[in-house]
Amino acid sequence: MQNKVLAFGEIMLRLSPPYFKRFSQATSFDVTFGGGEANVAVSLSNFGIPVDYVTRLPNNDIGDACIRYLKQFGVNTNKILRGGERIGIYFLENGASARPSKVIYDRAHSAISNAKPEMFNWELLLEDVNWFHWTGITPAISQNLADICLDAIEVAKSKGITISCDLNYRSKLWKYGKNPSDIMPELVKDCDIAIGNEEDADKVLGIKAPDTDISSGILDPEKYEYVVKEMHKKYPNLKTTAITLRGSISASHNTWAAILYNNQKLFISPHYDITHIVDRVGGGDSFVAGLIYGFLNFNEDYQGQLMILLIKF
Amino acid sequence: MQNKVLAFGEIMLRLSPPYFKRFSQATSFDVTFGGGEANVAVSLSNFGIPVDYVTRLPNNDIGDACIRYLKQFGVNTNKILRGGERIGIYFLENGASARPSKVIYDRAHSAISNAKPEMFNWELLLEDVNWFHWTGITPAISQNLADICLDAIEVAKSKGITISCDLNYRSKLWKYGKNPSDIMPELVKDCDIAIGNEEDADKVLGIKAPDTDISSGILDPEKYEYVVKEMHKKYPNLKTTAITLRGSISASHNTWAAILYNNQKLFISPHYDITHIVDRVGGGDSFVAGLIYGFLNFNEDYQGQLMILLIKF
Amino acid sequence: MQNKVLAFGEIMLRLSPPYFKRFSQATSFDVTFGGGEANVAVSLSNFGIPVDYVTRLPNNDIGDACIRYLKQFGVNTNKILRGGERIGIYFLENGASARPSKVIYDRAHSAISNAKPEMFNWELLLEDVNWFHWTGITPAISQNLADICLDAIEVAKSKGITISCDLNYRSKLWKYGKNPSDIMPELVKDCDIAIGNEEDADKVLGIKAPDTDISSGILDPEKYEYVVKEMHKKYPNLKTTAITLRGSISASHNTWAAILYNNQKLFISPHYDITHIVDRVGGGDSFVAGLIYGFLNFNEDYQGQLMILLIKF
Amino acid sequence: MQNKVLAFGEIMLRLSPPYFKRFSQATSFDVTFGGGEANVAVSLSNFGIPVDYVTRLPNNDIGDACIRYLKQFGVNTNKILRGGERIGIYFLENGASARPSKVIYDRAHSAISNAKPEMFNWELLLEDVNWFHWTGITPAISQNLADICLDAIEVAKSKGITISCDLNYRSKLWKYGKNPSDIMPELVKDCDIAIGNEEDADKVLGIKAPDTDISSGILDPEKYEYVVKEMHKKYPNLKTTAITLRGSISASHNTWAAILYNNQKLFISPHYDITHIVDRVGGGDSFVAGLIYGFLNFNEDYQGQLMILLIKF
Amino acid sequence: MQNKVLAFGEIMLRLSPPYFKRFSQATSFDVTFGGGEANVAVSLSNFGIPVDYVTRLPNNDIGDACIRYLKQFGVNTNKILRGGERIGIYFLENGASARPSKVIYDRAHSAISNAKPEMFNWELLLEDVNWFHWTGITPAISQNLADICLDAIEVAKSKGITISCDLNYRSKLWKYGKNPSDIMPELVKDCDIAIGNEEDADKVLGIKAPDTDISSGILDPEKYEYVVKEMHKKYPNLKTTAITLRGSISASHNTWAAILYNNQKLFISPHYDITHIVDRVGGGDSFVAGLIYGFLNFNEDYQGQLMILLIKF
Amino acid sequence: MQNKVLAFGEIMLRLSPPYFKRFSQATSFDVTFGGGEANVAVSLSNFGIPVDYVTRLPNNDIGDACIRYLKQFGVNTNKILRGGERIGIYFLENGASARPSKVIYDRAHSAISNAKPEMFNWELLLEDVNWFHWTGITPAISQNLADICLDAIEVAKSKGITISCDLNYRSKLWKYGKNPSDIMPELVKDCDIAIGNEEDADKVLGIKAPDTDISSGILDPEKYEYVVKEMHKKYPNLKTTAITLRGSISASHNTWAAILYNNQKLFISPHYDITHIVDRVGGGDSFVAGLIYGFLNFNEDYQGQLMILLIKF
């Protein structure tokens, strides 16, 4: 069977002042669409992997434009549901130098956030795929979406589909009365691959490395070894875990490194300096897409390709 | 006392593809802010009339940008409430030639639509003004807003403030279980000046001219004389009523005419051809601003200034 | 079987100064892709008809961008061949008022113009379609393309596929030593539907109305009745012929009319004035797309939908 | 001897909001350079006539950019003086529909306005030319410039150079204490060709047609015959006079007509409607360039080419 | 009494090629308004401090646009005088990497530069403020402006208003026959707070550190301690002096440091590297705004907030 | 005799996505013209040296625009031949950070590539010049162009004109059946000045330094001393050779150094870091222009001016 990935999640309208203008200076917004899972889908499609994207979009011209956006990159949009009130929006002011980027979310009441479990027939949706990708953003949005994720994971598991999850803890979400620790463990336990950073492990799964100081931006492999081993102990279904570490020297200069725990072996990437950043958003998603691509194509460890660049995909 | 107008209503973020591009072609949106009542406020301020704008805006950078927009035109924004989830948005694709303009509203859950009556202290808000302007759009949004309008009108009436209302029937609104005929009569009965078109009179106030065919775009003064006289009969507090008639030969070519019933005299404007339209939205609002300006400055009938141009204000 | 159209022809990179700037003023070009057959494909896909586009594009980022352009509108690009040197280019300066539009073609040596008959397996390409659309532009480019058109038409005919042809005479092409009258009759004779203007009938098929003066822009149905009847006499396989008449009062103001001869009945459209033109290119293609859509959906004469607007699709 | 034209006058930096934006909406200005005499020079160079432009520009990057602008069109800039404080600027808001264009001049203290007669060696400057063109704008700026014009005309006359003058009355200029009637007659008396409209004839030369009503926009040849004949009576050196009549139905729709009195014969152009105007400025200058081109190339009356389009050159 | 700052000085129209384009490449200019004192006013208003701006602007649409610019940021513009010929302009080409920024001033004859002392009623203008800010740019423009500054300072002093001065020596100004040392000491002697760099102390006040080499960009606190102590000796009214040191490694990479002498204590900031600079202009003004904000809010030394970022405010 | 340089080669239309957008994101291309020899010509003209550019351009509006581009910088275009099919095009995607720039050439069949030796009368073309500049790009395009180069060099040599050559090896060219080593030695042997990098010396002239590793980016003068001395041994007519070394740390950060062997003395430049690169293309050409300018003006070694910045010229 040919590889086919299905990614599930929200995709939002992204509006950002051109160049490095501020919200207070903008008289136009650059328009694109994005979201963690959709970014992974687009990257995989660019790499040549067939991808379905599953989400729910309103039945209007902006929903159409979003579908057109995905289609141009070859992502299959036939499984997207139409309906609901609106597409989620985020406003992004690109940072530069000492001024950090700023994101304003206007995603409440989006078509996908109001979706109901009975709208998704996962048996059908997952029929022709062998990889299912989701992230911790989705169950953070609403109880319904947490339930829909669970449905999807259970069906995927029953079909022997590989399941990957980017833990992606977002403190601004999780507003519907549940904590990540109430919801995520049940979702993660059937996954094959987990990707996260130390904060994700701590906030989402309750696994904390001893004596770590994230803010220093210095990677201490021993401490992360502890974290990934704890994760695999707690979630024995996991075959692979990747921990990424992005340091932010300035909005224009980040550092990047990752460790990969695969088949009980630990791989540590070099430490990269990424300067002159044009568009920071989606860097982690590119990493995930590269990881999935690697597993689908090489079926082996491939440490050298860990870093997918942060530049606009 | 110096004249001061207070306008109350929603103001939305307006996003439109540049030039005459379509939604399917746009990679950027021109950004501005607009709404019927805010357009009137901006025009009046441009004409030199002190204006307060009252609305509710979210406490984020987009809300700030909206306030900055109003401020630059000299509109007083100190009475604007901050809070709520989001600013209402409308997407506008400018029509041209035979292709009509297209508007997609994403205004549900806006800060103002979720406002509560107790947030507005109309005694205080209306303290230093002598003209209150509202439109039929506001009570169409929610029961709360209908109640807030009623509060404002009652306080304005009690203070002897002139009240103008643009009936502005919008079929896409009025979704909260009430019809305009349930709500509007009580609000209109204390107004001094009403502005509308024939559809407004019919749908909002239930007054229908005999044998009229709006679609012909031909103005038959006798029929409209009947309409305005019926309005004044039903709403004896009204001193002035204006009926506007916009014909749409194409998106680039409209016609414009108006009749004014003032102190029991009927005035009929010439019939204008407006071609080469750059930005159609807000033409009716400009008319209203011109009307208010005229009443504030000339205290008499001034038929010659009926037409305020449709061009970008 | 579900309807599926296959359109075949060149698609070019279109570069045009923004707004109404002239070549001598431009420091940027708006970028899109276009061509008579591809425009038809995009319009049909926008109308909801499944469409394959067949052409040949170079294996580089510009070829990829062209495919991405078609994909976003849902056109199936899987049958597009990759290879060859370059994509054809046309530079377009949009006219306005008394200044006509100007087109500079740089299409020689394009991947499709250098394509060879053996590259196209029409049996396979036409396997799942029931409508084949081509235009007189393609055989005007090279002997190879004329041969490829003939191959396609013969296979389509043998499979019972409906064949439509936009005659589209272009005096700047036909440089490889053949005249349209050498090539086109053999190609047209198996078609079911032909679309053209009077010049096409004359230059391509040698059928000339008596005493017509195209430049007057006045449609004389009797004369065109003669033309279409002659066409059907000469090409008895034709079931339908449409003759379009575009008059050019200025670059911003065209007139449009068409006659349709279908099942031996003649239909004459009203005469349309199209003013405030934003982007004239592709108006005829829109008409063809509307015609095909009509035949696929209504299976009857449908005179009222003759005019598909000239505006940017 | 090959034809060579020398045009003399100011050239200004032109700053205008893009598209039809208003000054109150602009966050960028389109940048170009213009002025009546320079527009004539550029048009003539585009028509293939060698042209020198003589002016004075500041010795800075903006002066350089202006020279680069002229150079790109092939205008010879070697005779331009460098020095002075600044380049004159005009801000232009393009009108549309009922909203007229708006021009704000910021041209005082420009390098050319402060030029002194001794800076210009007209014997040398006019050495290799056979046509000298100036306009009534230049002597309206300062006494020095009036003196410099007189110097240039006297030298040109002494060399047998053809002299053309666009009367170009501008009420906003003439602020240095003189009226056009004090200055212009002496300058016009040695000219061979004069171009103007009725207002020019009246305000500049004191010749008024009986009973004319410019505002009606209706051309009454008999009245203009009187004007041109009076001009030729008063200025017997004149061989040709052209009177242009531009009517302004709206900012997007002008009318245009002209009469030409040449070798004692009167020619009357058709009446043109010019709609969908993109950029109105410089229409009269294009007419003058066409007239000069005609005289240089045809040496005869050529009524048919009177109208040079108003569109961006 | 609530804090209110009044800043006085010129504000200019700023025209700059977009992105990092050069003057020789630009076909549009980004439009904004700026000036040392106005930048301080805007920053303070952004920080929430009520600010009046006092200047003189021409009575035209460009003057209106400037006022609209200030108004949008909440700066009170009611005290701005209208009149005069023109607004000052500066053209800015943003540098990048090894190519420095380039500024062309076209500010002569501006409305403010031609202002007369009797136009400013400082008793009235300063009535409701408790902080007056001016810079050394203003008295450098004309004798009138030096006199106006003196008037303002004397009235401010008499009212007990805190006075801050950014010494801001500009070698391109001071063209009216006076040196800074003729004018500035009398203006500085009544100030409470002075801000400058070493060149300012030397050129404006004649205080030179021994053995300093500015070009090295290395801050030697002892030498600056000498400078600030000398300043306080010569101007005993000074309570606080700040010396800023900006090093320019390239147009995209500056360094920044500052020392503050307050209540006879010396504070030395860390040394900052500022890379990836988007828009350098106004960095010093941001520092001043931060300083004023700090004094108004904290009434104490606050060394940690010395660095206000250089990025577009 | 005044210095005058003639540069000969192709000039192409350069189309690049604005800012740092990718081909997959661009809806417009920035338009300019460039090519190694034309860049040298423009730079020299900017430095004040009279320059002729010789090439062949198609007789259409794009050819005209190219000539206008050169003219604006003062390059003499009178010697340019018109004719042929098309102008060569290159598409440039500017790299940033870790993403390299990408160039797609569409230059085959250009007017110059199809030029024939008999079109160029070098006796006439070189009549008034004292410096001839060509590069190794030109003979790489076609046998005809190699022959034309040889003609030009021979005539230049016979007239005592200084000849400079930028070796400029381009692996993507040289497709007409010859290798650089077949063609270049005969062309280089009469040159006075050669510029190249180590790859050029190796691939073009067959001179390889022992044990060098270009990719390290470390300059080892001794090895390059060997290379330049070998070059001068093999080509005794050479008076000067420059070897440039550009290291690419990232697309936004290059290093630059050069050695110059002149009159048998070796000069080694410092090592420059060039960060925050805006537009990398043409850096080497700027170096060559600086070198020629230096020789024409200083007639001596001038090591300090070796580095011409990489920024947009």
Side-chain angles (χ1 to χ4, degrees), chain B residues 294-309:
Chain B
F295 277 103
L296 285 175
N297 284 271
F298 303 125
N299 287 322
E300 61 183 83
D301 311 332
Y302 57 105
Q303 191 179 355
Q305 297 195 30
L306 274 178
M307 195 193 101
I308 307 299
L309 292 171

Side-chain angles (χ1 to χ4, degrees), chain E residues 134 153 156-158 160-164 185-194 230-241 261-264:
Chain E
W134 64 284
I153 289 163
K157 176 78 176 173
S158 76
I161 292 169
T162 303
I163 304 175
S164 59
E186 191 178 2
L187 299 176
V188 172
K189 81 170 169 18
D190 285 337
C191 293
D192 301 285
I193 296 178
E230 278 302 295
M231 282 176 66
H232 283 241
K233 211 178 290 173
K234 262 182 129 163
Y235 302 98
N237 196 59
L238 282 181
K239 284 161 205 69
T240 310
T241 297
Y261 188 72
N262 191 36
N263 290 335
Q264 301 170 14

Side-chain angles (χ1 to χ4, degrees), chain F residues 54-66:
Chain F
V54 173
T55 190
R56 185 166 177 247
L57 287 170
N59 216 336
N60 62 25
D61 281 53
I62 308 302
D64 292 350
C66 180

Side-chain angles (χ1 to χ4, degrees), chain D:
Chain D
M1 176 177 144
Q2 198 200 8
N3 287 315
K4 191 170 184 195
V5 175
L6 184 148
F8 168 61
E10 183 153 21
I11 178 166
M12 290 177 282
L13 174 62
R14 165 181 150 163
L15 300 172
S16 41
Y19 186 48
F20 291 112
K21 288 213 170 139
R22 305 206 55 176
F23 285 131
S24 61
Q25 297 171 314
T27 56
S28 71
F29 287 153
D30 284 343
V31 175
T32 185
F33 295 88
E37 306 85 357
N39 295 346
V40 169
V42 166
S43 286
L44 285 171
S45 186
N46 281 342
F47 298 161
I49 309 287
V51 191
D52 291 332
Y53 196 66
V54 173
T55 189
R56 186 168 178 247
L57 287 170
N59 217 334
N60 62 25
D61 280 52
I62 308 303
D64 292 349
C66 180
I67 284 179
R68 218 178 282 113
Y69 171 80
L70 290 168
K71 263 186 182 165
Q72 75 177 319
F73 293 111
V75 173
N76 174 36
T77 60
N78 292 342
K79 296 180 177 176
I80 291 177
L81 305 181
R82 302 301 294 270
E85 276 183 69
R86 60 186 302 263
I87 189 170
I89 296 177
Y90 72 104
F91 299 91
L92 167 68
E93 182 184 283
N94 267 304
S97 193
R99 192 189 74 205
S101 288
K102 194 182 279 193
V103 177
I104 298 172
Y105 285 106
D106 176 20
R107 63 194 294 179
H109 316 289
S110 71
I112 183 67
S113 74
N114 290 337
K116 299 209 159 40
E118 59 271 25
M119 292 174 177
F120 296 87
N121 181 341
W122 287 108
E123 282 293 338
L124 206 64
L125 291 167
L126 289 164
E127 206 168 52
D128 56 347
V129 309
N130 67 342
W131 192 293
F132 174 67
H133 179 67
W134 65 284
T135 81
I137 296 169
T138 309
I141 294 171
S142 68
Q143 182 65 55
N144 270 343
L145 278 173
D147 295 344
I148 294 167
C149 281
L150 187 58
D151 290 354
I153 289 163
E154 285 177 353
V155 174
K157 175 78 176 171
S158 76
K159 286 176 173 295
I161 293 169
T162 303
I163 304 174
S164 58
C165 171
D166 187 343
L167 298 173
N168 246 334
Y169 172 67
R170 298 285 167 89
S171 60
K172 288 191 180 176
L173 296 173
W174 294 105
K175 289 179 177 163
Y176 62 91
K178 295 282 176 58
N179 291 319
S181 54
D182 302 329
I183 298 283
M184 288 294 284
E186 191 178 2
L187 298 175
V188 171
K189 84 169 166 21
D190 286 337
C191 291
D192 301 285
I193 296 178
I195 302 107
N197 53 29
E198 205 204 43
E199 190 191 18
D200 291 331
D202 174 10
K203 294 285 170 47
V204 175
L205 304 176
I207 299 168
K208 202 176 166 65
D211 301 325
T212 52
D213 175 9
I214 290 175
S215 64
S216 76
I218 308 297
L219 186 73
D220 179 343
E222 280 182 38
K223 287 169 187 165
Y224 289 92
E225 190 172 356
Y226 168 81
V227 170
V228 292
K229 286 188 174 166
E230 277 301 295
M231 281 176 67
H232 283 241
K233 209 178 291 174
K234 263 183 131 162
Y235 302 99
N237 196 60
L238 281 182
K239 285 160 204 70
T240 311
T241 297
I243 302 279
T244 61
L245 189 73
R246 170 143 52 178
S248 183
I249 292 173
S250 77
S252 305
H253 183 178
N254 285 192
T255 59
W256 181 265
I259 66 168
L260 185 71
Y261 188 72
N262 192 35
N263 292 333
Q264 301 170 13
K265 279 184 289 186
L266 191 73
F267 301 88
I268 301 173
S269 84
H271 192 86
Y272 294 96
D273 266 86
I274 304 172
T275 60
H276 308 274
I277 292 175
V278 171
D279 187 352
R280 185 193 150 287
V281 173
D285 305 327
S286 304
F287 173 80
V288 173
L291 202 71
I292 295 175
Y293 177 83
F295 277 103
L296 285 175
N297 284 271
F298 303 126
N299 287 321
E300 61 182 86
D301 311 332
Y302 57 105
Q303 193 178 354
Q305 298 195 28
L306 274 176
M307 194 191 102
I308 307 299
L309 293 171
L310 293 194
I311 306 310
K312 291 189 177 228
F313 47 92

Side-chain angles (χ1 to χ4, degrees), chain E:
Chain E
M1 176 179 147
Q2 197 199 11
N3 287 315
K4 190 170 185 196
V5 175
L6 184 150
F8 168 61
E10 183 153 21
I11 178 167
M12 290 176 283
L13 174 61
R14 166 181 149 164
L15 299 172
S16 41
Y19 186 47
F20 291 111
K21 289 216 172 134
R22 304 205 57 175
F23 285 131
S24 59
Q25 298 171 312
T27 55
S28 71
F29 288 152
D30 286 342
V31 175
T32 186
F33 295 88
E37 306 84 358
N39 295 346
V40 169
V42 166
S43 287
L44 286 170
S45 186
N46 282 341
F47 298 160
I49 308 287
V51 190
D52 292 333
Y53 196 67
V54 174
T55 189
R56 186 167 177 247
L57 286 170
N59 217 336
N60 62 24
D61 281 51
I62 308 302
D64 292 350
C66 180
I67 284 177
R68 218 177 282 115
Y69 170 81
L70 290 168
K71 263 185 182 165
Q72 76 177 318
F73 293 111
V75 173
N76 174 35
T77 60
N78 291 343
K79 296 180 178 175
I80 291 178
L81 306 181
R82 300 304 293 270
E85 276 182 69
R86 60 186 302 263
I87 189 171
I89 296 177
Y90 73 104
F91 299 91
L92 167 67
E93 183 184 283
N94 268 305
S97 194
R99 192 189 73 204
S101 288
K102 193 182 278 192
V103 177
I104 298 172
Y105 285 106
D106 176 21
R107 64 194 294 180
H109 315 290
S110 70
I112 181 69
S113 74
N114 290 337
K116 298 212 160 38
E118 58 270 25
M119 294 173 176
F120 296 87
N121 181 341
W122 288 108
E123 283 292 338
L124 206 64
L125 292 168
L126 289 164
E127 204 168 54
D128 56 347
V129 308
N130 67 341
W131 191 292
F132 174 67
H133 179 67
W134 64 284
T135 80
I137 296 169
T138 309
I141 294 171
S142 68
Q143 181 66 54
N144 270 343
L145 278 173
D147 294 345
I148 294 167
C149 281
L150 188 58
D151 290 354
I153 289 163
E154 284 177 352
V155 173
K157 176 78 176 173
S158 76
K159 287 176 173 295
I161 292 169
T162 303
I163 304 175
S164 59
C165 171
D166 187 342
L167 298 174
N168 246 332
Y169 172 66
R170 297 286 167 90
S171 59
K172 289 192 180 177
L173 297 173
W174 293 105
K175 290 179 177 164
Y176 62 91
K178 295 284 176 61
N179 291 318
S181 55
D182 302 329
I183 298 285
M184 289 294 285
E186 191 178 2
L187 299 176
V188 172
K189 81 170 169 18
D190 285 337
C191 293
D192 301 285
I193 296 178
I195 303 107
N197 55 29
E198 204 204 44
E199 189 191 18
D200 292 331
D202 175 10
K203 295 284 169 48
V204 175
L205 305 176
I207 299 168
K208 201 178 167 67
D211 301 326
T212 53
D213 175 11
I214 290 172
S215 65
S216 76
I218 308 298
L219 188 73
D220 179 343
E222 279 184 37
K223 287 169 187 165
Y224 289 92
E225 189 171 357
Y226 168 82
V227 170
V228 292
K229 287 188 172 165
E230 278 302 295
M231 282 176 66
H232 283 241
K233 211 178 290 173
K234 262 182 129 163
Y235 302 98
N237 196 59
L238 282 181
K239 284 161 205 69
T240 310
T241 297
I243 302 279
T244 61
L245 189 74
R246 171 143 52 177
S248 184
I249 291 174
S250 77
S252 304
H253 182 179
N254 285 191
T255 59
W256 180 267
I259 67 170
L260 185 72
Y261 188 72
N262 191 36
N263 290 335
Q264 301 170 14
K265 279 183 289 185
L266 191 72
F267 301 89
I268 301 173
S269 84
H271 191 87
Y272 294 97
D273 266 85
I274 304 172
T275 60
H276 307 273
I277 293 175
V278 171
D279 188 351
R280 187 194 150 286
V281 173
D285 304 327
S286 305
F287 173 80
V288 174
L291 203 71
I292 295 175
Y293 178 81
F295 278 104
L296 286 174
N297 284 272
F298 302 126
N299 285 322
E300 61 183 85
D301 311 333
Y302 57 105
Q303 192 179 354
Q305 298 196 27
L306 275 177
M307 195 192 102
I308 307 299
L309 292 172
L310 294 194
I311 306 311
K312 293 190 176 223
F313 46 89

